[in-house]
Amino acid sequence: MSAMTAASPPSRLVILLLALAGFASMASMRVTDAMLPALSEAFSRPVADVAQNITLFAIAYGIMQLAYGPLGDRHGTLRVIGLATLACAVGALGSALSESLSMLLLFRTLNGATAAAIIPLSMAWVGDNVPYEQRQVTLAHMLSGAVLGLISGQVAGGFLADTLGWQAAFVLLTLLFLGAGGLLLTTLHRQPQLSPPKADQGRIAFFSRIREVLLISRARRILALVFLEGIAAFGALAFVASHLYTRLEVSLTQAGLMVALFGVGGLIFAALARPLVTRLGEPGLAAGGGVLMGLGFVGLALAPLPTLATASAFAAGLGFYMMHSTLQINATQMAPAMRGTAMAVFAGCLFLGQSVGVSLGGLILRLADSLWLLAGAGVWLLALGLTFAWLLRQWHGERAAAAVTS
């Protein structure tokens, strides 16, 4: 482990810059959620068709994890993050200039492929440089930038679609990516010790590292859980704004603001992470998160009033970050010797799950009302949280037994 700790100035600076890059990444991922009706009108295609931009973004994001994990391990996580963040600007600018749905889908796919490096390698950097006992709180603080990006993407997508036009959101993202990537690479140039490259381990290591992660039993369970979480949580979240726009007859801006409370729940968790982790423990966070997500998504499905939908979005967001942060902290220990690869596979499973979830959501919308999509996601996530809490109690019991016998 690096000599740096969470309290050192270089570490605080890097965490701030990673939070900025994560902000841009998540804003890009969620920016089209609230503008789906506007994109549907602009390209004269059904909402389920324009929602493919979310699916393709997530598929590219997930698949490219298989490349960025080993690249981060080999060349240094911060260097790869900085270059990928600059490359994100190309996809964002291309999306702004798109004159057809197929062109938009192409550049959104490119944006997903390049944004894929940012958050998982950021978590890997924290895992390499922050002690385990401080790691969950540090991750929560760093990922607050990603949560703010989620909020801002949803709000800005709806607001700009209502005012300046949907293209303006992508122009703004282009500037964010250029700024975040440039600052990261400048900082790394001045302080190369922050992310030293490792020895070149050849092409065989690229595949063998992923295989070694998948051979670990606990890692397979964590990856399965995060994949299932991505299907229900992010798959359903993509359609919440459209559901509220149709069911409650609010504007795209209002729908985006209401869904943004999902991210506010994440910020509240980040602010209260230390006492919540101490009081509830990992099993309590997982179970409580599942319960809140279940209530939140069912509430979004059934809410007759905007205030109730807003409260439900907040509950779902708080629950998501309670459970997901617990998955993250366990994922950082799946394969400590290959942490960059392990975290990349973890993130890949989450966002491949999202792509499956959005595809399933589009299919459900062709057959039934969005109410059933959101309510089903709530029940799914409740069961998932309780299952994860049960597994954590088992793992903690095994760890305690091993400590006694050693």
Side-chain angles (χ1 to χ4, degrees):
M1 179 174 292
S2 168
M4 281 190 297
T5 68
S8 66
S11 183
R12 286 198 298 268
L13 174 62
V14 172
I15 289 168
L16 178 63
L17 293 177
L18 292 177
L20 179 61
F23 174 93
S25 173
M26 285 304 292
S28 177
M29 177 174 291
R30 303 257 62 102
V31 72
T32 61
D33 288 3
M35 67 168 67
L36 287 180
L39 292 174
S40 174
E41 182 178 346
F43 296 119
S44 301
R45 301 285 288 275
V47 167
D49 286 354
V50 295
Q52 292 176 23
N53 88 85
I54 304 171
T55 303
L56 292 173
F57 185 108
I59 289 173
Y61 192 108
I63 290 175
M64 285 302 294
Q65 305 302 322
L66 303 179
Y68 288 126
L71 283 173
D73 285 337
R74 183 186 301 176
H75 299 294
T77 51
L78 295 186
R79 183 170 291 100
V80 175
I81 293 169
L83 292 172
T85 303
L86 289 180
C88 285
V90 178
L93 182 60
S95 298
L97 299 176
S98 295
E99 297 180 350
S100 66
L101 179 58
S102 58
M103 190 174 178
L104 176 68
L105 296 179
L106 172 65
F107 282 107
R108 287 289 287 163
T109 303
L110 174 61
N111 208 165
T114 50
I118 296 172
I119 291 178
L121 291 186
S122 296
M123 292 189 294
W125 188 88
V126 170
D128 284 338
N129 293 277
V130 178
Y132 185 85
E133 60 274 10
Q134 301 175 33
R135 200 174 296 163
Q136 187 163 13
V137 174
T138 303
L139 280 172
H141 291 164
M142 183 195 74
L143 292 174
S144 63
V147 177
L148 281 170
L150 182 149
I151 297 170
S152 301
Q154 289 166 329
V155 174
F159 174 72
L160 292 174
D162 274 340
T163 54
L164 299 179
W166 60 268
Q167 297 94 335
F170 291 109
V171 173
L172 182 59
L173 283 170
T174 302
L175 298 175
L176 280 173
F177 281 125
L178 289 172
L183 287 170
L184 266 172
L185 291 177
T186 299
T187 301
L188 183 59
H189 178 72
R190 292 174 178 172
Q191 303 180 67
Q193 74 279 7
L194 290 173
S195 186
K198 299 178 183 178
D200 188 344
Q201 295 170 305
R203 290 185 61 188
I204 295 177
F206 180 94
F207 299 102
S208 65
R209 281 173 172 265
I210 296 171
R211 180 175 176 272
E212 287 176 35
V213 171
L214 296 177
L215 286 174
I216 301 169
S217 174
R218 186 173 299 187
R220 290 197 301 273
R221 294 184 181 184
I222 292 171
L223 295 174
L225 286 167
V226 79
F227 177 73
L228 295 172
E229 179 192 49
I231 289 176
F234 281 165
L237 187 64
F239 297 100
V240 170
S242 297
H243 170 80
L244 298 176
Y245 174 76
T246 303
R247 180 179 174 86
L248 301 181
E249 297 182 346
V250 297
S251 69
L252 293 179
T253 300
Q254 288 175 296
L257 284 168
M258 291 156 66
V259 178
L261 267 290
F262 184 95
V264 173
L267 288 178
I268 295 299
F269 173 75
L272 301 177
R274 194 180 303 277
L276 284 175
V277 169
T278 302
R279 176 167 297 186
L280 298 178
E282 291 183 357
L285 287 171
V291 170
L292 285 173
M293 282 190 289
L295 292 173
F297 276 103
V298 171
L300 283 165
L302 302 175
L305 298 171
T307 51
L308 294 176
T310 301
S312 296
F314 174 80
L318 178 59
F320 174 80
Y321 286 98
M322 285 171 64
M323 188 172 88
H324 188 67
S325 73
T326 309
L327 277 168
Q328 285 176 338
I329 190 67
N330 280 271
T332 62
Q333 289 301 107
M334 290 191 306
M338 303 170 288
R339 196 170 272 121
T341 300
M343 295 311 298
V345 175
F346 175 82
C349 286
L350 173 65
F351 292 106
L352 285 175
Q354 174 182 324
S355 68
V356 172
V358 174
S359 298
L360 285 175
L363 177 61
I364 292 171
L365 288 182
R366 288 184 171 93
L367 302 173
D369 190 88
S370 54
L371 181 153
W372 296 102
L373 168 63
L374 300 186
V379 174
W380 181 310
L381 290 163
L382 170 62
L384 198 66
L386 297 178
T387 300
F388 183 33
W390 176 74
L391 284 172
L392 284 168
R393 292 187 187 98
Q394 277 196 326
W395 294 341
H396 290 179
E398 292 169 3
R399 190 182 307 160
V404 170
T405 57
S406 62

